[in-house]
Amino acid sequence: MGRKFFVGGNWKCNGTAEEVKKIVSTLNAGEVPSEDVVEVVVSPPFVFLGLVKGLLKPDFHIAAQNCWVKKGGAFTGEVSAEMLINLGIPWVILGHSERRLILNESNDFVGDKVAYALSQGLKVIACVGETLEQRESGSTMDVVAAQTKAIAERISNWENVVLAYEPVWAIGTGKVASPAQAQEVHFELRKWLQVNTSPEVAATTRIIYGGSVSGANCKELAAQPDVDGFLVGGASLKPEFIDIIKSAEVKKSM
Ligand code: PEP
């Protein structure tokens, strides 16, 4: 079975209830390819999960932007995987570079989170990516392989994992990776999965690209053979997110 195109919208720490309602109504009204062509998952801040769940059309799905590393309890300010399941939230984003870098989440910590979230029945968008300094020093593959390894060591089933390659230098900067740069890392990541997990995991795991994806650049990126979709930040708050979802058609016609 082919890898279904995946488009995630990471709303980060943005929005008021009124703005969220507006974004959802734009999404609901958008003419997009059917669910068998593209899987769409939007990720509002925790406080709006219930609101979005109540309003979003059922062929779009919802992700939390984080969850706690183990069972809930005396962890002030955290939200557990069990709570997300209890609320009917099927997805969670883990290992986003903003959490790795600003909140010092280590590879091991992210790996533990991914394993625990999966064990509780969540599906995971697991993010990896190098900083500009790491790219310029030629260590991109070492960095993303180490981040992926910390996950691979802790899980055996990749069915509910989408791997998001998000170069830090491209996030929120308007400096998108070129299609060739994205394809190169996606190809290497798939090869890494082939060698270190299994050929089946490598062939079936979706590797999506994130970093300044827009309505203008999405089609060219989507045409790359190892780019299976996108994780979108800034543009997921705008009507152009619909155009990004539509870029799934590029794959269909390939
Ligand atoms: C992100 O934060 O996951 C992201 C890709 O952001 P942006 O699209 O704004 O670069």
Side-chain angles (χ1 to χ4, degrees), residues 66-72 79-87 89 92 113 116-122:
N66 180 37
C67 67
W68 181 230
V69 66
K70 54 185 174 182
K71 191 171 159 52
V79 170
S80 70
E82 295 89 334
M83 289 171 188
L84 296 177
I85 291 289
N86 181 249
L87 275 185
I89 305 299
V92 64
K113 280 188 173 192
Y116 189 75
L118 290 173
S119 78
Q120 296 308 300
L122 285 170

Side-chain angles (χ1 to χ4, degrees), residues 10 12 96 98 127 166 170-174 210-213 231-235:
N10 175 13
K12 311 195 189 197
H96 192 280
E98 285 152 14
C127 306
E166 298 208 300
I171 295 184
T173 58
S212 297
V213 175
L231 183 56
V232 184

Side-chain angles (χ1 to χ4, degrees), residues 80-106:
S80 70
E82 295 89 334
M83 289 171 188
L84 296 177
I85 291 289
N86 181 249
L87 275 185
I89 305 299
W91 286 90
V92 64
I93 298 173
L94 294 173
H96 192 280
S97 62
E98 285 152 14
R99 299 199 63 87
R100 289 181 187 267
L101 297 171
I102 303 169
L103 296 159
N104 287 325
E105 292 195 3
S106 68

Side-chain angles (χ1 to χ4, degrees), residues 6-10 41 43 93 96 125-127 164-166 208-213 229-233 236 241:
F6 184 102
V7 179
N10 175 13
V41 177
S43 190
I93 298 173
H96 192 280
I125 302 165
C127 306
Y165 168 58
E166 298 208 300
I208 63 175
Y209 168 79
S212 297
V213 175
F230 302 116
L231 183 56
V232 184
S236 71
F241 189 59

Side-chain angles (χ1 to χ4, degrees), residues 38-246:
V38 60
E39 187 167 6
V40 179
V41 177
V42 295
S43 190
F46 282 124
V47 291
F48 298 130
L49 285 173
L51 176 64
V52 174
K53 190 171 158 51
L55 296 174
L56 192 67
K57 65 178 182 180
D59 33 352
F60 289 170
H61 303 280
I62 304 179
Q65 294 176 18
N66 180 37
C67 67
W68 181 230
V69 66
K70 54 185 174 182
K71 191 171 159 52
F75 305 105
T76 303
E78 291 295 335
V79 170
S80 70
E82 295 89 334
M83 289 171 188
L84 296 177
I85 291 289
N86 181 249
L87 275 185
I89 305 299
W91 286 90
V92 64
I93 298 173
L94 294 173
H96 192 280
S97 62
E98 285 152 14
R99 299 199 63 87
R100 289 181 187 267
L101 297 171
I102 303 169
L103 296 159
N104 287 325
E105 292 195 3
S106 68
N107 291 354
D108 286 342
F109 190 63
V110 172
D112 286 343
K113 280 188 173 192
V114 172
Y116 189 75
L118 290 173
S119 78
Q120 296 308 300
L122 285 170
K123 300 182 205 185
V124 174
I125 302 165
C127 306
V128 299
E130 83 288 2
T131 62
L132 183 60
E133 202 183 11
Q134 289 164 335
R135 172 159 283 262
E136 285 175 344
S137 69
S139 54
T140 295
M141 255 335 280
D142 292 341
V143 170
V144 298
Q147 291 167 336
T148 309
K149 181 169 178 272
I151 296 167
E153 284 172 344
R154 291 165 169 84
I155 69 170
S156 50
N157 187 346
W158 283 75
E159 224 171 285
N160 290 327
V161 179
V162 168
L163 196 58
Y165 168 58
E166 298 208 300
V168 178
W169 48 270
I171 295 184
T173 58
K175 222 172 131 187
V176 65
S178 69
Q181 281 174 321
Q183 169 58 24
E184 184 186 20
V185 179
H186 285 227
F187 175 82
E188 290 297 333
L189 271 172
R190 205 176 297 290
K191 208 164 82 187
W192 189 94
L193 288 175
Q194 179 162 13
V195 173
N196 296 283
T197 61
S198 73
E200 206 217 327
V201 167
T204 55
T205 301
R206 286 168 296 178
I207 306 177
I208 63 175
Y209 168 79
S212 297
V213 175
S214 69
N217 60 34
C218 58
K219 282 193 186 160
E220 223 191 325
L221 285 159
Q224 300 305 308
D226 288 294
V227 174
D228 303 317
F230 302 116
L231 183 56
V232 184
S236 71
L237 299 164
K238 302 178 190 160
E240 72 182 290
F241 189 59
I242 299 291
D243 298 321
I244 299 173
I245 297 171
K246 283 185 188 160

